[in-house]
Amino acid sequence: MFMQVAFKYEWLEDCLKEGTRLPVEKYSLLNAPTSAPASSDESTHSPVISEDEFHHGLLSVVKVKRSHETDRSNEDSDSEEDSHKRKKEEVWMDVIHRSGKLGVVGKSGMTSQRDEGKDMEIQTQSPQSYTPPNLNKNITAIFDELKNIFGDALGDDRRSFSYYKANSVLEKLPFKITSVEEVKGLPAIGKSMQDQIAEILKTGKSSRLEHFKEDEKVRVVSLFGAVWGIGPSTAQKLYEKGHKTLEDLQNEESLTSAQKYGLRFHTDINKKIPRHEVQEMELLVKNCAESITPGISVLCGGSYRRGKALVGDMDFVVTHPDGKSHAGFLRKLVYKLKQLDFLTEDLTVGMDHPLEERGVDTYFGLCKYPGREQRHRIDLKVYPHEKYAFGLIAWTGNDVLNRRLRLLAEAKGYRLDDHGLFPVTRDAQGQRVSERSSGVLCSTEREVFDKLEFPWLEPNERNL
DNA sequence: GCTC
DNA sequence: AGCAACG
DNA sequence: GAGCCGCTTGCT
């Protein structure tokens, strides 16, 4: 039993090494929960989506709980190092424990009936049951701004990701940091982060961030870069053209149509969507899909599937078990969802892959909750059935897990992406080559995890 | 930025 | 080819 | 000091 605990701990720490954290938070919420959503016309029943994975949820929770208790009952050695290590261990076990609790949440969407009982705390879907308190907002808020500056304005993705990873560790700590000593040795917290944390603890702010904030260029470019479709390069060009505000950009002809939509609905898009509303829109999409092609499978992935109380956008992953009816389906679905006045604007579209190509049709756009004008980001992806498991993993995320799985795959001689796991060989030049035709067959997510020998994670445990 |  | 996006 | 996901995908 102890072995299991140790293993789980080491593995988690290993994970955190690579990176961590949940999607960026933008703090404005303006939800006026209103009328019930319209379900699509004829069919009011919810199509049954087979999701074997969900059955294992509760089991996992219990297992984690037991491990946690075992861990704590096991402390009787008392060297300083041991106690130090044990303290950290408890920290991470607590993290796991909480993920476990979140575990039930993910399934609540599937069994939306019960609103009371022992799972009440979870069933109510109060933000707190999904989102750990984050006792170190004083630090993570600053790091988050730096993350955005490095990402949106400076185009330094690597450095941006480092702040992202540091935050993911810090926001999960079960205590409020009072001294740098407490973060030394934590994954993703190196010398520079320690120094900055020390400064924040001492002065309440970061001189680096303050410096950035005084710089008009950084401020403006960062603002532009936050618009959907505008990256660091374009943002900088727009600044050099003399633009200073988002209003200035409205008469900028050079913007692509997607960027124009991103601009027009910028504030809309940045608002988080309450989980229960996503659930309602999921039903709408499912019903619509079923009315077009019975037997079609529609699942809302992303942070929704990972159990978050508030989500930034919606990611729908679609397939058909018969292996052929998915072809051409996306166009029909989009058409009908527009008729229903649900889908509103297109951002990028890649559809109509011919059946024999076994390609993935994608749609990125905007939609609105029935009866409201407020826009949301929505993605639709249609997979041929044999690629579905890979698509589901990729579009459930989170991004850190995806990268980690891909790195692991590479280490084991494979190449992983959202439509397969492919053995890698080397050509004469030693270049990596993989035959897309000879991918490893996996029909469930679990088979992919197993193939990579990566410990199984419930969707709600994937918020690394 | 962090890690090996 | 460069840019931007997705998890 | 090198590597950091994807022989991503779509758009211009």
Side-chain angles (χ1 to χ4, degrees):
Chain A
M1 184 57 93
F2 184 71
M3 288 299 288
Q4 185 192 356
V5 172
F7 168 71
K8 190 97 180 174
Y9 162 61
E10 281 170 15
W11 163 78
L12 185 67
E13 189 179 48
D14 196 36
C15 265
L16 290 167
K17 258 189 235 165
E18 283 304 326
T20 353
R21 194 168 178 276
L22 318 173
V24 195
E25 311 288 342
K26 298 284 181 200
Y27 301 99
S28 52
L29 312 186
L30 195 114
N31 318 310
T34 50
S35 55
S39 64
S40 75
D41 36 74
E42 57 265 21
S43 55
T44 51
H45 70 283
S46 163
V48 179
I49 304 302
S50 65
E51 257 284 286
D52 324 31
E53 296 95 47
F54 276 114
H55 298 307
H56 303 281
L58 205 58
L59 221 72
S60 160
V61 175
V62 173
K63 198 171 69 188
V64 168
K65 255 186 167 163
R66 279 233 309 282
S67 301
H68 189 240
E69 284 157 9
T70 307
D71 176 42
R72 297 183 58 82
S73 71
N74 236 355
E75 46 188 331
D76 41 292
S77 65
D78 43 305
S79 83
E80 173 134 12
E81 267 185 6
D82 275 10
S83 102
H84 186 59
K85 182 180 178 184
R86 203 182 314 120
K87 185 188 170 187
K88 272 195 210 166
E89 207 160 325
E90 285 173 24
V91 168
W92 298 120
M93 288 313 297
D94 188 61
V95 171
I96 296 172
H97 180 63
R98 246 181 287 147
S99 318
K101 251 168 84 178
L102 303 186
V104 189
V105 175
K107 289 194 300 304
S108 66
M110 306 303 280
T111 57
S112 50
Q113 303 262 44
R114 336 181 327 219
D115 271 318
E116 36 195 27
K118 59 177 174 154
D119 290 339
M120 174 69 163
E121 165 201 18
I122 293 155
Q123 292 288 339
T124 53
Q125 301 179 355
S126 76
Q128 281 171 337
S129 31
Y130 302 93
T131 312
N134 185 5
L135 303 170
N136 296 291
K137 263 213 168 98
N138 54 332
I139 297 168
T140 59
I142 290 173
F143 282 4
D144 192 53
E145 288 193 66
L146 287 167
K147 189 216 93 169
N148 289 334
I149 289 172
F150 280 111
D152 294 334
L154 287 304
D156 189 342
D157 291 341
R158 301 268 148 71
R159 191 158 281 136
S160 174
F161 197 56
S162 287
Y163 282 99
Y164 176 90
K165 286 185 288 189
N167 260 2
S168 118
V169 170
L170 297 176
E171 71 188 7
K172 287 171 186 153
L173 289 178
F175 58 88
K176 185 168 165 59
I177 299 165
T178 57
S179 155
V180 219
E181 301 305 316
E182 295 166 349
V183 298
K184 285 188 176 165
L186 287 180
I189 310 294
K191 180 70 167 57
S192 171
M193 294 295 180
Q194 289 171 27
D195 292 347
Q196 295 184 69
I197 289 172
E199 188 195 5
I200 295 169
L201 289 176
K202 185 158 178 259
T203 70
K205 44 189 189 177
S206 152
S207 54
R208 166 179 309 213
L209 178 58
E210 297 302 312
H211 186 264
F212 276 137
K213 281 182 164 175
E214 290 167 11
D215 188 326
E216 188 202 41
K217 175 169 180 178
V218 170
R219 203 168 40 74
V220 173
V221 173
S222 181
L223 176 66
F224 292 171
V227 174
W228 198 95
I230 300 181
S233 177
T234 309
Q236 191 156 329
K237 284 169 188 155
L238 292 169
Y239 175 77
E240 282 158 7
K241 278 190 173 186
H243 298 297
K244 305 287 180 194
T245 68
L246 293 182
E247 287 69 39
D248 294 345
L249 295 186
Q250 288 177 1
N251 343 305
E252 175 57 50
E253 289 301 320
S254 68
L255 296 184
T256 67
S257 65
Q259 289 166 336
K260 286 174 184 164
Y261 288 134
L263 179 62
R264 179 172 344 151
F265 299 106
H266 184 247
T267 48
D268 276 9
I269 293 173
N270 276 340
K271 292 189 169 76
K272 297 272 181 178
I273 318 168
R275 182 178 182 76
H276 71 272
E277 290 185 10
V278 177
Q279 199 174 321
E280 291 160 359
M281 290 186 269
E282 181 189 32
L283 190 59
L284 184 158
V285 175
K286 281 182 174 183
N287 285 338
C288 181
E290 177 75 16
S291 74
I292 296 167
T293 304
I296 201 85
S297 165
V298 177
L299 193 69
C300 188
S303 55
Y304 173 75
R305 186 162 181 246
R306 299 200 305 273
K308 292 302 199 179
L310 297 170
V311 304
D313 66 357
M314 295 181 288
D315 305 282
F316 287 94
V317 190
V318 180
T319 193
H320 197 293
D322 72 6
K324 56 187 183 191
S325 301
H326 64 279
F329 174 76
L330 184 56
R331 177 167 294 282
K332 296 180 215 163
L333 180 63
V334 167
Y335 179 80
K336 188 148 187 180
L337 287 174
K338 283 180 177 172
Q339 279 193 323
L340 293 173
D341 199 29
F342 177 64
L343 289 184
T344 50
E345 290 84 19
D346 302 341
L347 293 176
T348 67
V349 183
M351 50 173 105
D352 295 332
H353 288 90
L355 175 59
E356 65 274 14
E357 190 181 295
R358 314 305 289 172
V360 180
D361 286 356
T362 61
Y363 174 89
F364 289 1
L366 303 179
C367 68
K368 55 187 191 188
Y369 182 89
R372 224 194 281 152
E373 284 308 304
Q374 149 101 56
R375 300 300 199 277
H376 300 302
R377 276 277 298 105
I378 182 171
D379 301 340
L380 306 169
K381 276 82 61 171
V382 179
Y383 282 81
H385 196 245
E386 76 277 7
K387 294 180 174 176
Y388 181 60
F390 302 99
L392 202 48
I393 287 178
W395 293 103
T396 296
N398 62 6
D399 57 347
V400 174
L401 176 62
N402 284 344
R403 293 179 180 213
R404 179 137 190 88
L405 288 175
R406 289 167 193 200
L407 285 172
L408 180 60
E410 179 178 319
K412 291 182 180 290
Y414 294 95
R415 170 145 281 164
L416 175 69
D417 65 19
D418 72 317
H419 45 165
L421 180 62
F422 309 96
V424 170
T425 54
R426 305 255 172 198
D427 67 10
Q429 281 72 29
Q431 282 287 297
R432 296 171 58 83
V433 179
S434 46
E435 272 304 326
R436 307 232 75 160
S437 52
S438 64
V440 178
L441 298 179
C442 295
S443 55
T444 65
E445 289 182 308
R446 191 180 287 273
E447 289 175 30
V448 182
F449 278 74
D450 286 349
K451 190 69 191 176
L452 294 172
E453 298 176 285
F454 192 95
W456 169 251
L457 294 175
E458 295 297 328
N460 30 78
E461 294 174 315
R462 301 180 196 174
N463 295 300
L464 302 186

